[in-house]
Amino acid sequence: MRAEGGLNRGAVIAVAIGLVALVYGLYGQTATFEFVRYDDPTFVTENPATREGLTGSTIAWAFTNTQAGAWYPVTWLSHMFDVTLFGLNAGGHHLTSVTLHALNTLLVLGLLLRMTGRLWPSALVAALFAVHPMQVEAVAWIGDRKGVLSGTFWLLSLLAYVWYTEHPGWRRYVWIVVMMALGLMTKPTLIMLPAVVWLLDIWPLERWRSPSPEQDASTAAVATRRGLLLEKLPLVALAAASLLVTMAVKIGKDERTLVTPIFERAGNVCLNYVTLLRKAVWPSDLSIPYPARDSIDWMLVGVAGLVLAGVTVALYFVRRERYLLVGWLWFLIIMVPTSGVISIGHHAFADRYMYIPQLGLLVMLVWSISAWCGNRPARVRVAAGVAAVLLVACSLLTWRQIGVWKNTQTLFAHTLALQPSNTLANEQLGYIAQHGPQPDLAAAERHYLAAEGDELDRATRRDWLGQICEARGDFKKAEEWYRMAMKDDPDAVGPCFRLAVLLKKQGRLDAEEIVLLDAVKRNPDDSELLNELGVLYQSRNQIDRAIDVFKKAVAIDPLAKTFFNLGVIYESHNQIDLAIKSYQAALSARETSDAQAMSHGHLGFLFLKSGKTDVALYHLQNATQKLPDDPVNQYLLGVALARVGQREGAAQAFRTALRIKPDMEQARAALDRLAQPPANQSAPKTATPPAR
């Protein structure tokens, strides 16, 4: 049914304002929320490209990488845009998602109004879409920006299609293709768009008409149906291209994509549909993630399959209320890509997958209520009361569910309360306990051990357990955990590196060398391992081998600390020019580290020693600014300032050095000389700096 004129514009505007206020009233609290340690690091906080914001190089990166297991450049651009605007202020990123959800709520209202011309049913569907608790995961989770943003392109594509059907022509059709393409570059679930617009042809657009009794198979009605199918072909081609790209990426990233037996996948699909349907109707025990099933109860699969098939067949025969069949098929069809047909990660399903699919269920509910009301005022009042109760109940549940996403601790504490054996929740809470501002190693150990039975990411957890044991001085147990982690994942660099450092602490240099050589053999391009091997050779005074290894490391990845280590070797062997070049290379390295501050200090000493006081002063000021608690750099800064006549600054630097290291005799002597009349002063010697 086409939208009719006569809508009260003032009422429409008032409804729109109310919907926006409702969204911001509920989700505005996320402005004070943090990033969570689940996908947010991948997409934002630990992603070098995203952290740069929108630049020419990062835009090119967005269109050429498949880092997160799919190709969605528009999603990456969205995150980069947020970083450009807000930096790493999580509140700004959250408000972008909230704004998109508010926009999507208005688009739902506009789409239904355009198609049906009915304000209040459209408004109620939009309001329930805005406040349903299952929407929280997509909106409050920065890492799922693709979900809420793809929802925008879903709705824009459908609006473009409705606009096209009003006056068909290629100029309008192009806009459907553009919106769909942008949506596919946000999240590939828009591959189902051709089927969904066909549903709209059935209801409410009523383009898919059945032949009348007077018509036969060759009549114009059938020709019209053929034409409606043909007009979808460009969209089908676009969806097919996106599917091929997505499958190519998925197969390369996740071996579970296709190897899961087809019957097992079919069983999971049935259970996932029914479970999500139940949560949409009764949104309780919402959490993240819902782990993949270890086994399948085929009796439950049979019941679920019968429910799905029975509802579908029953609604097919309800010809008069076509919105029931269309709403139901909307839910089933849009859910297909995330239903479990293709394995996605290590979870069974997720609340966020219902962001757009549940619109079909909401239309079924609201239009059924509207049909029941008819023109009977008493029923309308009852329906209004029911609608108010639904909105209030959903809003209260949603407000509480939003609070779960405040930070990583609140999120996974909630998950663990519902799923005590959830591996990811234990892992995340353990990490926070271990690495938080107030470390609780005992709590971290409990969480990691609780997840020990799960093979997923076991090497990582065992590596962390090794770090805990090492931190409390249990080196024997730490070594055991590190070696188990190395056995679980022979290519993992972290456990090898930490085991080598642990062995060095114990003076077991031969064992350290064995570990490092084995690790380098398996990871020949890891500059961190090569740097540590070079440090080992340096400590053994195997200078030629150390230099050779350091040079290999900087050829792979020019790390500041490796250049610094080279500089120290050259300086200790009086190869001053090579030392200066190495320290300067450290300053030019891409990462910021203490090695750069130490390079400034060594350069300051070398230039001070050669009489280039101004250059030395520049480097020493940088060194003391970046490492203010290094007494040697403070002392050398005092020497440089004294040479250029800045007596007060020199005295302050010497006093700082003494505050840090009270027994530094060179600094005390230099300070005493400054206290003498200028004629009696002698310049501090710098031929040999104090021990660091």
Side-chain angles (χ1 to χ4, degrees):
M1 181 176 67
R2 293 287 186 179
E4 302 293 338
L7 283 174
N8 186 319
R9 177 172 294 185
V12 173
I13 293 174
V15 167
I17 292 172
L19 290 172
V20 171
L22 187 60
V23 171
Y24 279 101
L26 285 173
Y27 285 93
Q29 60 181 298
T30 61
T32 63
F33 287 7
E34 303 171 10
F35 291 105
V36 296
R37 196 182 168 274
Y38 187 46
D39 276 9
D40 286 3
T42 300
F43 285 97
V44 185
T45 57
E46 295 178 9
N47 188 294
T50 305
R51 288 169 64 98
E52 286 186 34
L54 283 173
T55 67
S57 61
T58 58
I59 291 172
W61 179 90
F63 280 90
T64 55
N65 98 93
T66 56
Q67 176 178 324
W71 185 69
Y72 23 60
V74 174
T75 295
W76 288 113
L77 295 177
S78 168
H79 288 301
M80 292 171 186
F81 179 74
D82 274 3
V83 171
T84 301
L85 286 182
F86 310 114
L88 293 179
N89 175 8
H93 294 251
H94 279 297
L95 287 179
T96 297
S97 295
V98 174
T99 300
L100 286 169
H101 186 51
L103 172 61
N104 292 345
T105 301
L106 295 180
L107 290 175
V108 169
L109 175 67
L111 177 65
L112 291 173
L113 271 178
R114 188 98 181 190
M115 293 190 298
T116 68
R118 303 186 63 189
L119 175 58
W120 297 113
S122 302
L124 182 54
V125 170
L128 289 171
F129 172 84
V131 304
H132 196 285
M134 290 193 79
Q135 306 292 60
V136 171
E137 186 174 304
V139 183
W141 184 16
I142 293 170
D144 193 49
R145 170 65 56 78
K146 57 187 177 291
V148 69
L149 184 57
S150 67
T152 303
F153 289 114
W154 260 111
L155 296 165
L156 287 174
S157 298
L158 296 177
L159 274 168
Y161 180 75
V162 173
W163 182 57
Y164 157 79
T165 62
E166 292 168 356
H167 297 286
W170 71 268
R171 288 183 177 85
R172 293 194 174 197
Y173 195 91
V174 165
W175 284 104
I176 310 173
V177 175
V178 169
M179 292 299 109
M180 181 180 178
L182 290 172
L184 290 169
M185 289 189 287
T186 303
K187 189 176 182 180
T189 50
L190 269 83
I191 59 173
M192 307 311 297
L193 183 71
V196 172
V197 294
W198 169 73
L199 290 179
L200 298 186
D201 284 343
I202 297 174
W203 182 90
L205 299 181
E206 297 184 354
R207 301 176 77 212
W208 189 266
R209 298 183 180 89
S210 299
S212 66
E214 294 78 18
Q215 294 174 323
D216 56 33
S218 61
T219 58
V222 176
T224 300
R225 286 188 171 185
R226 186 181 300 116
L228 292 178
L229 292 175
L230 290 174
E231 77 176 1
K232 311 295 189 295
L233 288 182
L235 305 183
V236 172
L238 193 57
S242 176
L243 180 61
L244 289 174
V245 171
T246 302
M247 291 302 298
V249 173
K250 286 288 183 188
I251 292 172
K253 296 280 185 180
D254 185 356
E255 69 223 12
R256 298 174 67 251
T257 300
L258 291 178
V259 298
T260 306
I262 188 168
F263 289 110
E264 182 179 332
R265 271 186 277 157
N268 274 313
V269 167
C270 291
L271 294 175
N272 291 345
Y273 268 115
V274 171
T275 303
L276 287 171
L277 180 62
R278 194 275 298 169
K279 286 182 177 290
V281 174
W282 190 261
S284 62
D285 297 340
L286 305 182
S287 66
I288 184 172
Y290 302 107
R293 300 175 182 89
D294 294 327
S295 60
I296 294 179
D297 185 331
W298 290 103
M299 182 69 73
L300 286 178
V301 170
V303 173
L306 286 174
V307 168
L308 295 172
V311 172
T312 304
V313 171
L315 293 179
Y316 176 78
F317 288 103
V318 182
R319 296 300 181 91
R320 184 175 177 183
E321 288 81 17
R322 282 175 293 181
Y323 55 81
L324 292 174
L325 178 62
V326 168
W328 178 250
L329 291 178
W330 173 295
F331 162 64
L332 294 182
I333 289 171
I334 298 181
M335 272 292 299
V336 167
T338 53
S339 64
V341 171
I342 300 173
S343 299
I344 302 175
H346 296 273
H347 53 268
F349 53 89
D351 298 344
R352 60 187 180 275
Y353 296 161
M354 287 288 284
Y355 188 73
I356 292 296
Q358 73 169 330
L359 270 174
L361 303 177
L362 296 177
V363 166
M364 292 174 68
L365 171 66
V366 173
W367 255 259
S368 295
I369 292 174
S370 177
W372 176 77
C373 290
N375 294 318
R376 301 177 183 180
R379 290 191 177 185
V380 170
R381 287 191 293 272
V382 172
V386 171
V389 169
L390 278 176
L391 289 174
V392 170
C394 283
S395 297
L396 292 174
L397 291 172
T398 295
W399 177 269
R400 186 177 66 180
Q401 188 67 20
I402 293 169
V404 167
W405 286 85
K406 185 174 183 179
N407 54 46
T408 308
Q409 176 72 38
T410 57
L411 176 62
F412 288 105
H414 173 77
T415 298
L416 204 61
L418 297 175
Q419 306 171 38
S421 61
N422 188 286
T423 296
L424 179 63
N426 274 304
E427 185 177 291
Q428 294 283 1
L429 292 173
Y431 185 90
I432 293 170
Q434 180 181 0
H435 300 281
Q438 296 179 328
D440 184 345
L441 298 185
E445 187 174 34
R446 284 196 304 273
H447 283 299
Y448 294 150
L449 291 175
E452 181 64 13
D454 194 331
E455 293 183 3
L456 179 63
D457 291 333
R458 180 183 284 170
T460 300
R461 292 191 300 275
R462 287 178 167 178
D463 182 20
W464 289 338
L465 282 165
Q467 294 175 47
I468 290 172
C469 292
E470 182 178 355
R472 68 185 180 207
D474 189 350
F475 290 172
K476 182 180 179 181
K477 191 63 178 177
E479 182 176 343
E480 291 177 7
W481 283 120
Y482 288 143
R483 291 194 183 278
M484 283 192 285
M486 292 163 61
K487 184 178 179 180
D488 290 334
D489 186 357
D491 294 327
V493 172
C496 299
F497 181 83
R498 277 178 277 279
L499 177 58
V501 173
L502 176 66
L503 294 170
K504 180 168 64 176
K505 283 182 183 178
Q506 301 174 75
R508 298 163 60 190
L509 300 186
D510 291 339
E512 179 193 5
E513 183 176 14
I514 292 171
V515 169
L516 286 173
L517 287 174
D518 181 61
V520 168
K521 183 179 179 180
R522 286 182 282 105
N523 301 276
D525 294 331
D526 192 283
S527 58
E528 294 278 1
L529 288 173
L530 287 169
N531 179 73
E532 190 63 24
L533 183 60
V535 171
L536 172 64
Y537 290 142
Q538 184 180 2
S539 69
R540 289 175 160 183
N541 205 30
Q542 296 173 288
I543 301 305
D544 291 339
R545 297 181 74 178
I547 291 175
D548 182 56
V549 171
F550 285 142
K551 285 182 175 179
K552 287 180 181 177
V554 296
I556 295 168
D557 191 357
L559 296 174
K561 62 183 176 183
T562 311
F563 277 120
F564 173 76
N565 290 332
L566 269 173
V568 170
I569 289 178
Y570 289 135
E571 183 181 349
S572 65
H573 287 73
N574 208 32
Q575 299 181 52
I576 303 304
D577 289 342
L578 289 175
I580 289 174
K581 287 181 180 178
S582 297
Y583 293 139
Q584 289 174 335
L587 299 182
S588 301
R590 58 178 173 80
E591 93 278 17
T592 301
S593 70
D594 287 348
Q596 291 176 315
M598 292 188 291
S599 295
H600 274 300
H602 280 257
L603 285 169
F605 167 70
L606 293 176
F607 285 122
L608 196 60
K609 187 176 177 182
S610 65
K612 298 179 180 178
T613 305
D614 290 341
V615 181
L617 188 58
Y618 163 78
H619 287 292
L620 291 167
Q621 286 172 334
N622 274 282
T624 53
Q625 182 180 7
K626 294 175 181 177
L627 288 177
D629 293 330
D630 187 322
V632 175
N633 286 336
Q634 293 288 352
Y635 166 75
L636 293 173
L637 176 61
V639 172
L641 290 170
R643 285 191 180 181
V644 297
Q646 297 185 30
R647 294 165 52 84
E648 291 184 6
Q652 180 60 42
F654 292 140
R655 281 193 288 269
T656 302
L658 287 168
R659 177 179 56 77
I660 299 168
K661 189 177 182 183
D663 61 346
M664 184 182 280
E665 295 302 327
Q666 297 95 326
R668 191 172 304 281
L671 191 60
D672 290 341
R673 282 191 294 271
L674 280 179
Q676 299 173 8
N680 298 329
Q681 288 182 16
S682 60
K685 296 179 180 180
T686 60
T688 304
R692 290 180 181 271

